Amino acid sequence: MVDVGLAQGLNQLSLTLFTATAPAGALAYAAVTLIGIKHVLDFKQKERLRTFLIIPLLFAFLGLIASTNHLGKPANALFVLTGVGRSPLSNEVLATVIFAGLGWLYWLLGFSERWKLSQLRVLTVIAAIAAVAEVWFTANAYSINTIATWSLPFTPVNQVLSACIGAGVITLFTLKMGWKQLDRPLERRILVITLALTVASTAVQIVQWLVLSDMSSAITNYSVAFPLHPLFILVFALLSIGSCAGGLLATRAPQAQLSCKGTAIVLALAMAGILVSRFAFYCTYLTVGIP
């Protein structure tokens, strides 16, 4: 029975990749653009930072491709969109497509001499709204009454926290690559907020595991189906908390800042932790009856 939970997770690897990358990339895109508007005063630096928006966009598109793969073939995505309004899956796909389209359009038009960044700002605002909507719909796409272990308050909370953690490290990496003089207090503030989110996510996952431990279907108990859940939570905590804490320790000295390489390591470890967390979520699949 040990393999039951892992088998469920392996069957949903595409969704694991989608929910770990697309919402995080969307929120990071919104965060970088807003930080650029507020903190970056030099016009050429604004243009450079806008160019590096390709980083969060790549995460968003990676998730979109993964979701399409889950549907079997790209053509099925169009069929899914016919259920917008009544289907949570359709709603999250639509929100993802809208954000990806607007974000990509803003990035491309920024290279045109016919458009000024100030004129394109309306696209930034709409894209930011679409990013928040994507996170909301993705977080609420799994409230399925027949899947007892998913139809719980922990499900949307964990998805939102995962998106925010991913957005934090992607934002930090994008700023480090695109902003030559990244403000040190801002860098540490991003790390502190992301660390706090990882601690909160770990706590929520532990409480979730305690609640799930007493649940069962018609044929098995949750603890029997997925006994490795605590190990996955531990790995998530070590990777995600460790990455942010390590980043803060590396910048504890006055004037000390992370290098691009150091920021990339923080990003890689945190995203690996999120992937572990999202994979564990799909391993918790347990129906109320006989599957």
Side-chain angles (χ1 to χ4, degrees):
M1 297 299 293
V2 174
D3 296 333
V4 172
L6 292 178
Q8 295 290 356
L10 290 172
N11 287 334
Q12 307 294 340
L13 281 178
S14 294
L15 287 178
T16 296
L17 187 58
F18 166 65
T19 55
T21 58
L27 281 185
Y29 179 96
V32 171
T33 53
L34 292 176
I35 289 173
I37 292 173
K38 182 178 180 181
H39 293 280
V40 182
L41 302 179
D42 182 73
F43 177 75
K44 289 186 177 180
Q45 183 58 68
K46 282 182 181 289
E47 285 192 320
R48 174 180 167 83
L49 187 58
R50 181 201 55 76
T51 301
F52 278 87
L53 281 172
I54 190 64
I55 295 174
L57 275 177
L58 286 176
F59 279 91
F61 273 96
L62 176 62
L64 182 60
I65 293 170
S67 68
T68 303
N69 180 65
H70 174 72
L71 296 173
K73 56 183 180 179
N76 286 342
L78 297 177
F79 176 76
V80 169
L81 294 178
T82 62
V84 171
R86 68 176 188 276
S87 168
L89 174 62
S90 297
N91 293 338
E92 72 169 346
V93 170
L94 178 63
T96 302
V97 170
I98 289 176
F99 165 75
L102 290 173
W104 186 251
L105 181 62
Y106 171 76
W107 187 77
L108 285 178
L109 291 179
F111 291 101
S112 173
E113 296 181 356
R114 298 175 59 184
W115 296 85
K116 296 181 179 179
L117 292 182
S118 58
Q119 295 174 314
L120 296 174
R121 193 162 291 175
V122 63
L123 281 177
T124 302
V125 175
I126 298 175
I129 295 173
V132 174
E134 178 182 343
V135 174
W136 172 260
F137 286 123
T138 302
N140 289 278
Y142 298 95
S143 297
I144 305 171
N145 294 331
T146 56
I147 305 177
T149 48
W150 287 2
S151 187
L152 295 169
F154 306 106
T155 298
V157 171
N158 279 326
Q159 176 59 68
V160 171
L161 287 173
S162 293
C164 291
I165 295 167
V169 291
I170 296 171
T171 296
L172 182 62
F173 181 70
T174 305
L175 292 174
K176 178 64 70 173
M177 296 298 293
W179 191 358
K180 293 183 177 180
Q181 296 180 338
L182 175 59
D183 186 54
R184 180 177 179 272
L186 177 61
E187 178 183 64
R188 288 183 58 83
R189 197 177 306 130
I190 294 173
L191 284 169
V192 168
I193 293 173
T194 308
L195 176 60
L197 291 169
T198 57
V199 171
S201 179
T202 302
V204 171
Q205 290 181 60
I206 291 174
V207 175
Q208 178 191 31
W209 167 64
L210 293 173
V211 171
L212 292 176
S213 297
D214 294 328
M215 301 184 70
S216 60
S217 68
I219 60 174
T220 187
N221 180 271
Y222 172 78
S223 296
V224 176
F226 188 37
L228 297 178
H229 196 174
L231 178 61
F232 278 80
I233 297 174
L234 176 61
V235 173
F236 163 79
L238 290 175
L239 288 171
S240 296
I241 293 179
S243 65
C244 296
L248 284 171
L249 287 174
T251 59
R252 67 185 183 280
Q255 308 304 319
Q257 287 188 266
L258 285 172
S259 64
C260 291
K261 181 180 178 180
T263 309
I265 292 173
V266 171
L267 171 64
L269 291 177
M271 291 305 299
I274 293 172
L275 285 168
V276 169
S277 173
R278 296 310 304 162
F279 178 76
F281 167 74
Y282 291 105
C283 290
T284 64
Y285 179 95
L286 194 68
T287 59
V288 295
I290 300 176

